[in-house]
Amino acid sequence: MRILVTGKNGQLGRSIQKTVNADTKIGNNQSPNEYIFVGKEDLDLSSKSSISHYFGNNDKFDLIINCAAYTAVDKAEKEQELANQVNHLAVKQLAKIANNQQVRLIHISTDYVFDGESNKPYLETDTPNPINAYGRTKLAGEKVLQTAMPMNALIIRASWLYSEYDNNFVSTMLKLGKERDELSVVSDQIGSPTYAADLADAILEIIKHKKFRDVAQTTQIYNYSNEGEISWHEFAKEIFKIEKIECKVNPVTSQQYSTPAKRARNTLMNKDKIVKVFNIKISNWKSSLNTCMAILKQKQ
Ligand SMILES: NC(=O)c1ccc[n+]([C@@H]2O[C@H](COP(=O)([O-])OP(=O)(O)OC[C@H]3O[C@@H](n4cnc5c(N)ncnc54)[C@H](OP(=O)(O)O)[C@@H]3O)[C@@H](O)[C@H]2O)c1
């Protein structure tokens, strides 16, 4: 398969590149897949003409994995138009192209499509109700994708994505924890972190799966994150524990720690569907965090 991966400089895009490269190096790459990784400079999702130009000037792909997105949750409140272009309108255009050219599409979405008011883990079929601009644009992206591409696309909703690459909760905590004696971290928002390398592995497993490759299927949504449920406060404490950082972590409420974009209270997601359909094994958040932090240590 010729596989196009967007967002090559982002956390998930880089994690997929790393897994693909590692597979190729140790000779495990049994499928003759050709990966093409692109960034904003090659394919700008904020520009309709950049998208049509890119697909008009490249040979047909068999699969698109859309890891690119406008992900600045707070900034999106002010940049709604740009966030909407990248997370919604570009997805519509990609889905139309994919549908016309009979290309499969894997698109990544978010737990922020939910309002967080449920007291049990969200199922894929639960009604979304985003409470911030980012969530609204991502939900609009899901909806147009499902309409434009009723068959052969897959939407994976992830939550609290982090990686060994910069600009995520783990990297921020490590930086602040080394600079300060104490920190306040929100303790009333519950969810499950997603280690980007685990999600990359899951996506590559899905691609290999018979059910994805051979069968024409209606477009489906799947939830994915690591196992376990924690607050941001517990997440921060565990990061400092592993790294032996002596920084006190004070629990605060969302009300005490206000942000431009509202955050959902409980965005735990039920992962039974992805486990059952694609036989995906999901690690516990603590073991994946340890793996990520061991990699970060090697990089120092
Ligand atoms: N981060 C999270 O906590 C989280 C949680 C749940 C779901 N997700 C979803 O998971 C997916 C991957 O997230 P991530 O954390 O890997 O995101 P990320 O690190 O922010 O990467 C997103 C990538 O998209 C690219 N991008 C932004 N605007 C673009 C444009 N106009 N044209 C082309 N590319 C553009 C960015 O390019 P530049 O680097 O050049 O700006 C960046 O490389 C996204 O769909 C996101 O919504 C993320």
Side-chain angles (χ1 to χ4, degrees):
M1 289 199 288
R2 247 170 78 75
I3 303 174
L4 177 73
V5 184
T6 67
K8 76 168 181 189
N9 302 311
Q11 300 193 79
L12 182 58
R14 291 176 78 176
S15 301
I16 294 178
Q17 281 178 79
K18 190 175 171 187
T19 309
V20 167
N21 289 342
D23 259 11
T24 312
K25 261 192 208 130
I26 56 171
N28 278 351
N29 201 359
Q30 290 156 351
S31 61
N33 289 338
E34 180 196 357
Y35 285 86
I36 298 103
F37 292 92
V38 289
K40 207 188 292 176
E41 57 286 3
D42 315 291
L43 171 60
D44 181 357
L45 296 184
S46 70
S47 155
K48 220 176 158 182
S49 59
S50 167
I51 301 173
S52 23
H53 186 263
Y54 184 83
F55 286 96
N57 286 283
N58 280 282
D59 291 342
K60 181 182 169 296
F61 300 97
D62 299 297
L63 167 67
I64 301 167
I65 307 175
N66 185 29
C67 304
Y70 181 105
T71 56
V73 177
D74 287 320
K75 233 167 129 191
E77 296 295 316
K78 281 213 169 124
E79 294 189 339
Q80 297 197 19
E81 210 178 306
L82 177 60
N84 191 55
Q85 176 60 47
V86 178
N87 294 345
H88 166 204
L89 301 177
V91 177
K92 182 178 183 178
Q93 205 178 339
L94 284 182
K96 279 187 170 174
I97 293 169
N99 195 54
N100 289 342
Q101 299 186 355
Q102 302 208 316
V103 179
R104 286 179 186 247
L105 174 61
I106 295 180
H107 173 70
I108 315 300
S109 192
T110 170
D111 56 326
Y112 281 0
V113 297
F114 295 116
D115 60 18
E117 292 306 314
S118 174
N119 285 319
K120 50 180 189 338
Y122 283 100
L123 290 167
E124 289 82 353
T125 46
D126 284 339
T127 308
N129 181 31
I131 57 171
N132 56 42
Y134 166 74
R136 283 191 292 275
T137 61
K138 292 294 287 186
L139 178 62
E142 287 186 2
K143 287 193 167 158
V144 284
L145 187 158
Q146 288 168 295
T147 308
M149 201 173 171
M151 300 290 289
N152 293 330
L154 207 140
I155 296 166
I156 302 176
R157 287 181 181 146
S159 57
W160 300 21
L161 203 73
Y162 72 94
S163 65
E164 50 271 26
Y165 309 109
D166 272 349
N167 293 327
N168 58 67
F169 186 76
V170 175
S171 60
T172 305
M173 285 301 116
L174 286 175
K175 183 173 173 288
L176 294 178
K178 285 170 191 163
E179 288 168 4
R180 299 188 194 171
D181 294 330
E182 55 184 294
L183 271 182
S184 295
V185 181
V186 170
S187 59
D188 62 356
Q189 290 167 25
I190 307 296
S192 294
T194 304
Y195 178 34
D198 289 345
L199 177 54
D201 285 347
I203 291 171
L204 297 180
E205 277 302 311
I206 290 171
I207 293 171
K208 281 189 229 156
H209 205 286
K210 235 177 132 35
K211 275 191 190 139
F212 179 78
R213 294 179 77 109
D214 302 345
V215 190
Q217 294 208 355
T218 53
T219 291
Q220 294 280 330
I221 299 177
Y222 294 90
N223 294 336
Y224 182 89
S225 69
N226 285 115
E227 288 296 357
E229 62 176 89
I230 52 167
S231 67
W232 291 109
H233 174 255
E234 287 168 282
F235 198 14
K237 277 191 12 186
E238 191 63 26
I239 294 165
F240 294 163
K241 190 174 147 197
I242 297 170
E243 193 65 18
K244 299 188 176 61
I245 293 176
E246 306 250 329
C247 174
K248 191 165 174 247
V249 193
N250 301 314
V252 289
T253 63
S254 308
Q255 227 177 6
Q256 289 168 308
Y257 186 85
S258 88
T259 47
K262 271 208 228 163
R263 299 295 199 280
R265 188 178 57 81
N266 176 357
T267 59
L268 277 173
M269 296 188 295
N270 179 309
K271 277 95 58 183
D272 290 354
K273 185 176 172 187
I274 201 164
V275 169
K276 199 167 156 212
V277 175
F278 294 113
N279 200 20
I280 300 293
K281 310 256 178 312
I282 305 185
S283 313
N284 181 271
W285 72 272
K286 262 193 201 178
S287 68
S288 290
L289 178 61
N290 272 283
T291 306
C292 176
M293 291 190 55
I295 293 170
L296 278 171
K297 225 179 176 90
Q298 283 169 11
K299 279 182 161 186
Q300 281 170 5

